Every structure is written in structure tokens, then in C-alpha cells.
Amino acid sequence: MPRPILATVHTEALRHNLSRVRQNAADANVWAIVKANAYGHGIERAFAGLRGADGFALLDLAEAERVRALDWRGPILLLEGVFEPRDLELCSRLNLWHTVHCDEQIDMLAAHKTHQPHRVFLKMNSGMNRLGFAPQRYRAAWTRLNALPQVDEISLITHFSDSDGPRGIAHQMAVFSQTTEDLPGERSLANSGAVLRHAEAAGVRADWVRPGIAIYGSAPDAPEHTADEWKLQPAMTLSSRIIGTQMLQPGDTVGYGSSFTADVPMRIGVVACGYADGYPRHCATGTPVLVDGVRTRMVGRVSMDMLTVDLTPVPQAGIGTPVTLWGRAAKADGLHGDTLLSIDEVARAGGTVGYELMCAVAPRVPFAVDA
Ligand SMILES: *Cc1c(COP(=O)(O)O)cnc(C)c1O
């Protein structure tokens, strides 16, 4: 038997989350954001659940090739555009739409030989100060692009820095709409936070929305809202099993650094999952975990290949008992129950966000798809 750790991708949850996003953006087209290998789920594994999207957006050219290899004929958008001139050849060949965020990318387009003009998304830096043209330079960039025979339609795109927090999106919306008022073309503004929290804001849904984290079933604004409150379902379960147990007496310690000391007699389970599997080492005693579907807590430090859990609430647990690190309760028969442990809760305990945990599942962890 292989080491029992397993990541499972839930196709039905991806479908559900996509339709949940559509509820908030009924008139918009939806880009399923599948960058970073579909937020760690695997593009090929997530595809069945996401093929109902109107397009796929990502930033790695090799990932765009993988989406085309799945026979996806619809739109694919490169969110960072091209990195060097020859990337444009791939865009021509695979009909990739690409973001244009700087003058150098316009220069590359102007020098590109193509029979088929490209659909581009001209990016405005409306305040985040990452990629994009400053508002006062945006129209000049549009005019320059519009004059190029290599360019077909120009769409307008910007990205929010605070859709998930108290500052909100109004200041960036105002800059974007003032600058683009009389420009033609489709618009794309909203990430998951904007779709979920600001769906009522005029124009935020625009022509294309760009949800990422929401379709994978994590709340962009945890802990203010939970995924459950947003009616999102976890698209990934990380599960393993107990491979050892120990009886502790008061005063006994657990693991490296003896960071946990028992104050009463207790049984602990040793789980085949450690930081080399992508489980955050910063998760300390108290981090929630499901054993046999029952909520309990981690005790002691996470080590490379193992972590330890308090078995007090699950006296029936022993070697082979299923453990859920996040996602849906794993059962002994390999199926999943209805009890959930949100990746956001685990992330919080580790001082990070659900995004990072799902992207960081290590290559040594085998995956399954729950169709
Ligand atoms: C990653 C990304 C998104 C999706 O963000 P979420 O917070 O995961 O919804 C949308 N737009 C751009 C430009 C991105 O890079």
C-alpha cells in the first residue's frame, strides 16, 4: 500500500462554485482562472468541473498549451500577456488572447508578423500599482494599439487590490470608468472578492468576471466570511490516515521541540502528512483536523512527514483511521462524508490564506478526481 496521503479534486464542487459565481454575475461571461495549475488542483483534473466556463485565464504559456490540448476551442486569456516576442507566435498559433500592460508589449506586437490579428486586453493600473498603464497614459496606449494591423478587438481590463477588504473597490472603479468612458470594447474587472462582495456595484460585473479562489471553494475574505456563508463548496480534500498511536501521561511531550505537553492522560494519533506534503509548518497546537469525520486538534509541531493529533474525542480511532487535513471528511471506504473542514480555517491557523495552501500541495502527494 502506498503512503496513505491523497488529494482529491471534487468535480461536482467546481461545477457548483462556478454556478454560484454566475448567480452573482448573471449577464457576465466567466473566465475560470486556472493559473498556478488551477490553484494547485491540476488543470487536467479541474477541467471537467470547469468546462462550463466561458473561457480560461492563466499566465503560463505552457499551461495555455495544456488547456488547448484538452480540446478547449473557446477563449484563453494570458493575464500577464507575453514575456518575449516569440510568445506572440504561440498566441497566433493557439489563438490566445493576451493582456497588454506595458509599452514593450505593444512594441513586440508592432513587430509581430501574423495573418490573424490578436484580441488583446489593455490593462489599466487603476491603483494597485502592479501591472498596467497609469490612467493618464492609458488612452495613448489604446490609440497606439488600435492603429496596429496586428490587433483585432481591444478589451479593457483592470484588477482590484481590496475587493476582499474594508477599502473596497469604489476608488478604482471611479478611475477606471472615468478613463474609459467613451472607449469601445468589452470590460473585465471583478475577481472573486468583487463578484461576491460587490456584485451590486454598477459596472463591476461588466462583460467578463475573473473568479479564481471562489471556484475552488475558499472564501476570498476569510475569516470575515466563510466559504460556507458564501455557499461555496471545497473543491479539494487533503486526506491521509493514522499510522501510529501513543498514550501520553501528564508531563509527556510530543514531537520536535517538545512544544506540546499533556496535562491529563490522553491518546494521540500520528498522521502521514507533514510539511513536505505542503501542510503548513506554522500550524501549531490547536489547528483543526477531522479524524474519522470528528473534529479534533493538532498537537505539537508539524514535522516533515508526520503530524500528531489529539484522539480524545475519537476513542475508536486507530491505525488506518482516515484523517482530513482540509476539505470533506474522508471515510474508511475512500468516499467522502458531508462534514467539512474549510481550508481557510487551517490557513488561518498557519498564518496564511487558502490560496497558498491549495497551491502548495507538494508534488509527492498523489491526486484523485472525484467525478
Ligand atoms: C489571480 C487573478 C484573478 C483571480 O483572483 P481571485 O482572488 O482568486 O478571484 C483575477 N484577475 C487577475 C488579473 C488575477 O491575476
Side-chain angles (χ1 to χ4, degrees):
M1 185 178 173
R3 193 165 166 262
I5 191 162
L6 181 69
T8 305
V9 174
H10 302 294
T11 303
E12 213 34 69
L14 291 167
R15 276 195 202 112
H16 165 89
N17 296 336
L18 196 58
S19 65
R20 173 67 188 86
V21 164
R22 285 202 193 274
Q23 278 175 14
N24 269 35
D27 304 327
N29 288 315
V30 177
W31 290 114
I33 308 286
V34 293
K35 63 189 180 190
N37 200 21
Y39 287 44
H41 293 66
I43 288 175
E44 291 77 8
R45 289 184 289 262
F47 186 69
L50 297 179
R51 63 184 315 152
D54 300 292
F56 289 90
L58 38 69
L59 37 85
D60 192 307
L61 283 93
E63 291 188 340
E65 291 188 275
R66 283 164 58 195
V67 175
R68 280 284 180 253
L70 290 164
D71 224 15
W72 173 257
R73 312 273 170 88
I76 298 178
L77 174 65
L78 297 176
L79 290 165
E80 295 181 346
V82 297
F83 304 100
E84 57 173 334
R86 67 184 186 132
D87 295 344
L88 288 168
E89 291 163 24
L90 193 74
C91 293
S92 293
R93 186 151 55 78
L94 297 183
N95 186 20
L96 307 180
W97 301 1
H98 49 102
T99 297
V100 172
H101 64 75
C102 63
D103 288 308
E104 289 74 4
Q105 288 178 328
I106 305 183
D107 297 340
M108 291 183 216
L109 258 172
H112 179 55
K113 292 189 176 46
T114 180
H115 298 297
Q116 223 142 42
H118 292 195
R119 169 90 176 250
V120 297
F121 278 62
L122 181 60
K123 183 144 189 175
M124 185 189 301
N125 169 16
S126 57
M128 184 163 183
N129 286 309
R130 221 168 49 172
L131 299 180
F133 290 91
Q136 59 276 17
R137 300 211 41 247
Y138 191 77
R139 299 182 69 93
W142 187 91
T143 304
R144 214 188 139 203
L145 269 182
N146 192 43
L148 293 183
Q150 291 89 343
V151 171
D152 174 24
E153 251 183 270
I154 306 174
S155 303
L156 316 179
I157 185 169
T158 195
H159 193 50
F160 297 130
S161 57
D162 290 78
S163 65
D164 55 343
R167 192 176 181 203
I169 61 170
H171 60 295
Q172 287 186 265
M173 290 277 295
V175 169
F176 182 79
S177 50
Q178 277 157 25
T179 312
T180 59
E181 210 163 25
D182 52 349
L183 290 179
E186 294 191 335
R187 269 83 169 147
S188 178
L189 297 91
N191 54 0
S192 298
V195 172
L196 294 174
R197 291 170 64 100
H198 303 286
E200 72 302 333
V204 70
R205 284 162 287 165
D207 302 291
W208 289 88
V209 293
R210 305 192 305 272
I213 197 71
I215 59 180
Y216 302 103
S218 156
D221 57 353
E224 186 184 342
H225 293 96
T226 63
D228 201 42
E229 284 167 345
W230 287 126
K231 303 213 172 347
L232 300 168
Q233 298 174 3
M236 184 198 288
T237 292
L238 182 65
S239 62
S240 188
R241 291 180 189 266
I242 291 179
I243 59 167
T245 62
Q246 300 292 341
M247 265 312 297
L248 304 185
Q249 297 308 320
D252 285 350
T253 63
V254 178
Y256 287 121
S258 302
S259 73
F260 176 80
T261 306
D263 52 9
V264 290
M266 64 185 280
R267 221 167 133 245
I268 59 161
V270 181
V271 181
C273 175
Y275 60 78
D277 299 299
Y279 192 90
R281 189 180 166 280
H282 290 293
C283 283
T285 295
T287 302
V289 48
L290 304 178
V291 175
D292 211 9
V294 177
R295 201 179 161 100
T296 179
R297 57 175 183 150
M298 267 225 355
V299 291
R301 268 191 206 158
V302 175
S303 52
M304 185 183 287
D305 311 304
M306 287 174 263
L307 55 80
T308 33
V309 297
D310 183 355
L311 293 182
T312 310
V314 250
Q316 76 277 15
I319 307 282
T321 299
V323 175
T324 300
L325 290 317
W326 60 70
R328 291 177 55 188
K331 298 199 295 186
D333 57 9
L335 300 177
H336 295 87
D338 293 330
T339 307
L340 302 181
L341 173 58
S342 173
I343 195 169
D344 299 327
E345 269 193 81
V346 181
R348 182 140 197 255
T352 182
V353 288
Y355 294 77
E356 188 180 5
L357 296 199
M358 52 179 80
C359 291
V361 174
R364 79 174 187 183
V365 176
F367 267 85
V369 177
D370 171 9

